[in-house]
Amino acid sequence: MAQRHLDPTDPTATATAAAGPPVPADAEALAGYLRAQATEFLRALRLHRESGTGAHGGNGSHGSHGSHGSHGGNGSHDAHGSRGARRSDRATPAAPPVDAARALRRAARRLSGTLHTFQPLLDGDWAESMRPELAWLSGTLAMEHAYASRLERLLQALHRLSGSSAFPAQQTAGRATAAVSATVPAAHPAPPERGSLTVGAAKAGALLDRQLTLARTRAHSTALQALGSSRFHAVADKVALLASEVPLRTTGPATSGTTATTTTTTTNAASPTDLRPLAAAAENRLTDAVAALPLVTAGSPYNAEALIHGLSPDPVAHPQDAPWHQVRLLLRLHRYALEVLAGEEAEDSGDVRLLAAGEALNRHRDAAEAAAAAAQAARTPRIAPATAYALGVLHADQRHEVEAARYAFQHSWRKEPIRLP
């Protein structure tokens, strides 16, 4: 029997041979991915219940979501557990609740993003009602962690810039203090302006600690209220149903007034539908957004335009940051679409270029939000000049971190795609 050999000069053939047999990319693959993420969502809720209350949004009010069957008839929730969580909202966070909250946000983000990308293949009304609820849940649970990470980042930056040994709120920074101390050169003489910065650095750190800790406490209370609300229980019930039944749209054209015949579930024989056009559309949106970015400016070591609005009294976000934040969201949607196409091999199908670009955009967002927090603290009335000066230096340092993240993104984006082995 004659054997057909691939032409080594054909890149398409080589890529096909390296990738192995094609993974089915139909509606059943989409349903399997949604069921898997819904199961991860329910598992995270059960981990919350087993771990007790934590400072990152875990409470005992989600025990009824631990299994699929518990939502079939009553969808009951432990309201007493949620009230107990509110009373202990200042408890010290433990590692398991933090991991459960992260897993919960991860599953909610992937469900919401997948519904956004592949909505034409799903029941329209169901997807339109489900997607914003998942985005609300993910955003609400992420706020407390974001404030904690922002405070840690700013305190570390103050420590690095001033060279001081400790701050009143340095214990909040925690585990990264020793690593940051190792990066401060001890043999170099301090510039003349460093003495002024050191004087105000402690007060600047204390001011940031007060403001961001208050914001974190409020975000914690908001997360606990959300997890005990009827809105969250409705979302959890829908996710529990999604774990066993995915409302897919039929391939035939829907006629007006026949809503009941326009959807089917994965228990029936749904006609195969190719997912690749919708995934390609998500990639095209990302490519167009990246093409609109000022990558030439991001490739320069210093972007003077980034500091033009640094002293503006308007506390709105920096005008240069919005397109980069949008690219970050589109990149996330593109990655989730690739996970759907990869199926069970999603964990091993990561593109190194996309991973590096995503990390750079995450650093960009963190630095931009940290700079905004420093600028907001500098607007506090009646602060000492040395404190305001320290916060100004801190703001400029974080804006330089923004520029470094943009440069890292454009450097990684222009590389050829590399698949993990």
Side-chain angles (χ1 to χ4, degrees):
M1 182 177 185
Q3 183 177 4
R4 179 176 178 269
H5 296 277
L6 296 175
D7 184 3
T9 61
D10 185 5
T12 305
T14 306
T16 304
V23 180
D26 52 12
E28 186 60 32
L30 173 62
Y33 182 83
L34 290 175
R35 285 194 299 264
Q37 295 304 321
T39 303
E40 291 297 326
F41 186 97
L42 300 177
R43 184 179 293 114
L45 290 182
R46 183 171 57 186
L47 183 58
H48 269 287
R49 181 199 61 175
E50 296 174 352
S51 304
T53 303
H56 287 264
N59 59 38
S61 62
H62 319 299
S64 60
H65 295 288
S67 61
H68 301 171
S70 60
H71 293 271
N74 51 20
S76 61
H77 305 280
D78 187 3
H80 298 286
S82 62
R83 288 195 294 267
R86 295 190 188 98
R87 290 193 297 267
S88 57
D89 57 351
R90 293 184 179 274
T92 302
V98 175
D99 295 338
R102 184 181 296 111
L104 188 62
R105 297 197 307 267
R106 180 181 185 273
R109 287 197 309 265
R110 278 166 169 74
L111 286 173
S112 178
T114 304
L115 296 183
H116 179 273
T117 302
F118 299 101
Q119 182 174 344
L121 303 181
L122 301 166
D123 177 65
D125 296 336
W126 174 82
E128 281 292 338
S129 63
M130 189 71 171
R131 184 167 56 87
E133 296 300 297
L134 291 169
W136 160 77
L137 177 61
S138 176
T140 301
L141 296 181
M143 290 306 298
E144 182 184 0
H145 175 72
Y147 284 122
S149 300
R150 197 171 305 157
L151 176 59
E152 182 177 355
R153 179 187 185 92
L154 289 171
L155 291 179
Q156 290 178 14
L158 277 175
H159 181 67
R160 169 173 51 84
L161 293 169
S162 66
S164 59
S165 57
F167 290 111
Q170 181 107 11
Q171 62 270 18
T172 310
R175 58 186 177 277
T177 303
V180 174
S181 301
T183 63
V184 178
H188 292 199
E193 65 272 17
R194 173 163 292 194
S196 177
L197 176 61
T198 305
V199 171
K203 293 184 178 180
L207 177 60
L208 289 169
D209 179 73
R210 287 195 303 270
Q211 293 183 348
L212 293 178
T213 300
L214 177 61
R216 179 185 178 183
T217 303
R218 291 174 177 172
H220 177 79
S221 300
T222 302
L224 289 181
Q225 292 174 3
L227 291 175
S229 65
S230 59
R231 182 180 182 182
F232 167 75
H233 293 305
V235 173
D237 287 335
K238 291 181 180 179
V239 173
L241 293 176
L242 180 62
S244 58
E245 187 178 67
V246 180
L248 296 173
R249 187 190 300 271
T250 56
T251 57
T255 59
S256 59
T258 58
T259 306
T261 61
T262 59
T263 60
T264 184
T265 62
T266 56
T267 57
N268 300 329
S271 301
T273 305
D274 195 1
L275 305 179
R276 293 182 180 87
L278 295 176
E283 183 178 7
N284 293 335
R285 289 191 293 268
L286 171 63
T287 304
D288 294 341
V290 172
L293 291 176
L295 293 183
V296 177
T297 304
S300 61
Y302 181 75
N303 179 13
E305 297 179 1
L307 297 178
I308 289 179
H309 302 276
L311 298 178
S312 173
D314 192 357
V316 297
H318 198 282
Q320 283 193 1
D321 296 339
W324 294 86
H325 295 335
Q326 180 66 17
V327 168
R328 176 178 170 272
L329 296 178
L330 293 176
L331 177 60
R332 175 179 290 177
L333 293 177
H334 174 51
R335 286 179 47 236
Y336 296 164
L338 292 181
E339 290 181 2
V340 175
L341 296 181
E344 296 180 355
E345 301 176 356
E347 297 296 332
D348 301 328
S349 61
D351 189 340
V352 176
R353 184 186 66 145
L354 295 181
L355 294 177
E359 292 176 357
L361 291 176
N362 288 337
R363 293 196 305 270
H364 175 274
R365 180 211 48 191
D366 295 342
E369 292 178 348
Q376 182 65 28
R379 296 185 182 97
T380 304
R382 296 182 299 276
I383 59 176
T387 305
Y389 175 73
L391 291 171
V393 174
L394 181 61
H395 173 267
D397 174 76
Q398 292 304 303
R399 292 308 307 182
H400 282 297
E401 292 291 335
V402 168
E403 295 304 315
R406 292 178 181 179
Y407 176 79
F409 171 80
Q410 68 92 19
H411 183 70
S412 62
W413 183 258
R414 293 179 175 180
K415 289 183 177 180
E416 293 295 328
I418 302 176
R419 294 287 177 179
L420 292 174

